[in-house]
């Protein structure tokens, strides 16, 4: 467990987002730290929490009484720093950030209150690869002759090129072909790009768009409901229960015009930063965030979008709960293996990657 949002918020406000040790105002570069480490019995209460800059967070991070150098910040020292700094702040010597009254709303057209991504549930069935061989032998036929028979009967199976088909010489080759091992290297790699829009060029050089249904596209609006103007504001987004999230228009394969049109930057899979082009948002004004694409965890019933807003003298945070109703398409995959390799029926959930 970590500190609750309430505890973090309390500490951030009481310290006015300054480091309790060096008293520097570090803005975003402040962390709430355990005074007594968890490993030494410290809890997640506000009593055991202190705001530290990254430098002092590192200095306090690995304290233990038996440390050979003994120069780390001890829990007792940290407590004193915290008490004296909180008292300075409470005497109004330091200005507390105000709580922003901003609203973040989902702007998707025809949004039914949930997203319904589609995933592929792949079931692998293992069968004895020699069963067909035994059948042929029982019928008095040479199993390898079935290979030629198969090739003659199903020339349309040669979708991966003639050379693949010509590679099939023996019964075992055919089993590998059935298993999909032969064409594996030629097949398109599963798409791990969370973005739903994939730009491709048709033979007629026209752009077209294809959608990956395991992705959800979110349109957000940030509204300033405050009587104050938000200056130098930044919005930080953190998605929970997602495999990945990204800006829709971030990358484009062929058109550089699209390349930098996004305004939410995702430095990590689930963490985005919205830094507006115009750093001022007046009262009752709103700004639209870039379309965000996220792929939920297939098991997730909801995705939490935690947001934090920082502006000059103002701080705000909240969570938007996005309901998820996933559905699954069944794909059955058969693998012809030696009896020793036979495993129980194995189900694997894949994100949908074949585009429509
Ligand atoms: Zn510091």
């Amino acid at each position: 467990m970590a500190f609750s949002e309430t505890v973090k918020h309390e500490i951030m406000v009481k310290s006015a987002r300054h480091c309790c040790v060096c008293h520097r105002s570090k803005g975003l570069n402040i962390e709430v730290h355990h005074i007594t480490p968890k490993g030494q019995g410290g809890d997640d209460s506000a009593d055991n929490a202190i705001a530290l800059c990254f430098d002092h967070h590192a200095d306090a991070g690995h304290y233990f009484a038996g440390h050979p150098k003994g120069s780390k910040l001890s829990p007792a020292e940290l407590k004193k720093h915290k008490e004296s700094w909180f008292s300075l702040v409470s005497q109004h010597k330091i200005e507390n950030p105000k709580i922003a009254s901003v609203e973040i709303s989902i702007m998707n057209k025809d949004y039914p209150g949930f997203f319904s991504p589609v995933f592929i549930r792949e079931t692998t069935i293992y069968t004895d690869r020699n069963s067909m061989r035994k059948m042929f032998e029982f019928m008095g036929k040479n199993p390898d002759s079935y290979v030629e028979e198969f090739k003659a009967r199903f020339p349309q199976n040669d979708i991966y090129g003639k050379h693949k088909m010509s590679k099939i010489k023996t019964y075992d080759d055919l089993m590998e072909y059935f298993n999909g091992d032969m064409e594996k290297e030629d097949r398109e790699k599963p798409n791990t790009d969370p973005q739903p829009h994939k730009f491709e060029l048709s033979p007629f050089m026209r752009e077209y768009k294809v959608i990956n249904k395991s992705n959800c596209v979110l349109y957000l609006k940030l509204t300033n409901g405050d009587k104050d103007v938000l200056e130098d504001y930044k919005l930080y987004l953190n998605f929970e229960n997602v495999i990945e999230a990204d800006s829709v228009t971030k990358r484009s394969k062929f058109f550089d015009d699209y390349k930098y049109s996004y305004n939410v930057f995702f430095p990590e899979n689930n963490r985005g930063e919205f830094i507006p082009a115009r750093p001022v948002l007046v009262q009752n004004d709103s700004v639209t965030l870039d379309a965000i694409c996220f792929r939920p965890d297939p098991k997730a019933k909801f995705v939490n979008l935690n947001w934090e807003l920082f502006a000059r003298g103002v701080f705000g945070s909240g969570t938007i709960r996005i309901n998820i109703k996933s559905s699954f398409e069944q794909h059955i995959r058969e693998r012809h293996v030696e009896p020793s390799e036979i495993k129980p029926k194995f189900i694997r959930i894949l994100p949908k990657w074949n585009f429509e």
Side-chain angles (χ1 to χ4, degrees):
M1 283 296 288
F3 293 116
S4 68
E5 287 304 311
T6 324
V7 167
K8 276 196 224 164
H9 199 199
E10 184 188 327
I11 298 298
M12 287 299 190
V13 170
K14 284 189 173 166
S15 65
R17 303 192 73 85
H18 286 61
C19 173
C20 293
V21 174
C22 62
H23 302 180
R24 285 182 296 173
S25 170
K26 297 293 282 187
L28 300 179
N29 301 325
I30 287 278
E31 279 179 289
V32 179
H33 175 83
H34 288 94
I35 294 175
T36 303
K38 303 275 289 184
Q40 295 168 28
D43 60 16
D44 291 326
S45 67
D47 255 8
N48 193 39
I50 184 169
L52 293 177
C53 70
F54 290 172
D55 295 341
H56 286 110
H57 188 269
D59 282 352
H62 306 288
Y63 177 83
F64 64 100
H67 197 283
K69 282 185 182 166
S71 61
K72 296 274 180 186
L73 287 162
S74 72
E77 258 180 290
L78 288 173
K79 248 196 177 97
K80 274 186 192 154
H81 281 301
K82 178 187 173 184
E83 278 161 19
S84 68
W85 181 248
F86 276 19
S87 110
L88 274 173
V89 175
S90 68
Q91 288 162 43
H92 304 288
K93 290 181 179 159
I94 303 296
E95 203 182 313
N96 264 315
K98 272 183 241 145
I99 301 305
S101 116
V102 293
E103 195 200 333
I104 292 172
S105 38
I106 296 176
M107 294 301 289
N108 289 43
K109 278 180 202 142
D110 310 320
Y111 177 60
F114 56 87
F115 282 96
S116 31
V118 183
F119 292 90
I120 292 172
R121 179 178 276 141
E122 184 191 68
T123 307
T124 307
I125 298 166
Y126 291 90
T127 58
D128 178 1
R129 69 152 62 196
N130 296 316
S131 57
M132 225 189 294
R133 187 201 300 271
K134 280 175 197 150
M135 196 182 75
F136 278 101
E137 282 165 356
F138 180 77
M139 290 181 338
K141 277 185 176 181
N142 177 1
D144 288 345
S145 72
Y146 177 65
V147 175
E148 292 315 313
E149 218 175 285
F150 173 82
K151 281 158 79 172
R153 267 175 68 192
F154 301 103
Q156 72 272 26
N157 276 19
D158 195 6
I159 52 168
Y160 302 106
K162 285 258 179 278
H163 68 288
K164 291 281 184 253
M165 212 55 168
S166 63
K167 270 188 192 169
I168 306 171
K169 298 239 157 55
T170 64
Y171 176 85
D172 278 320
D173 290 346
L174 187 64
M175 291 301 117
E176 265 150 46
Y177 179 81
F178 284 163
N179 287 347
D181 293 346
M182 262 196 174
E183 75 272 17
K184 208 178 256 169
E185 63 265 31
D186 279 10
R187 202 187 276 171
E188 194 192 340
K189 283 193 189 103
N191 177 52
T192 51
D193 190 339
Q195 297 174 83
H197 295 195
K198 189 182 164 192
F199 295 98
E200 286 180 2
L201 286 179
S202 76
F204 308 104
M205 297 296 284
R206 279 163 61 202
E207 176 197 352
Y208 62 98
K209 216 159 51 175
V210 278
I211 306 281
N212 178 340
K213 291 200 287 183
S214 70
N215 283 300
C216 306
V217 181
L218 187 62
Y219 297 91
L220 293 175
K221 190 172 84 171
L222 167 71
T223 309
N224 180 11
D226 246 315
K227 51 186 191 310
D228 296 313
V229 174
L230 292 178
E231 286 177 272
D232 293 329
Y233 71 98
K234 283 170 189 173
L235 182 73
Y236 291 81
L237 304 170
N238 196 304
F239 285 84
E240 274 174 45
N241 295 346
V242 300
I243 300 167
E244 27 196 357
D246 210 340
S247 276
V248 167
T249 53
K250 186 175 169 185
R251 267 174 277 158
S252 160
K253 298 243 159 63
F254 296 100
F255 300 100
D256 279 353
D257 294 354
Y258 290 98
K259 222 170 186 174
Y260 301 108
S261 60
Y262 63 99
N263 59 21
V264 183
F265 169 63
F266 281 82
E268 280 170 36
N269 268 351
N270 63 338
R271 203 166 56 79
E273 302 172 359
F274 170 67
I275 296 158
R278 286 180 60 240
V280 174
L281 195 62
V282 299
Q283 300 92 325
N284 299 317
D285 198 4
S286 59
V287 61
T288 310
L289 272 61
D290 217 12
I292 293 167
C293 164
F294 65 91
R295 186 157 72 201
D297 183 317
K299 295 185 291 292
K301 294 276 184 280
F302 61 89
V303 162
N304 275 342
L305 170 56
N306 303 312
W307 59 269
E308 281 185 308
L309 180 122
F310 300 92
R312 202 177 293 170
V314 177
F315 170 77
S317 67
T319 296
I320 300 171
R321 188 186 160 114
I322 301 161
N323 289 313
I324 303 294
K325 291 182 182 174
S326 299
S327 57
F328 296 89
E329 282 175 12
Q330 295 285 348
H331 279 199
I332 308 266
R333 183 169 169 260
E334 198 177 358
R335 278 195 75 79
H336 304 269
V337 294
E338 294 293 338
S340 61
E341 295 173 74
I342 289 180
K343 295 173 186 128
K345 208 166 91 175
F346 177 66
I347 295 174
R348 188 156 69 114
I349 294 171
L350 301 167
K352 190 177 172 105
W353 64 270
N354 45 338
F355 296 93
E356 298 201 328

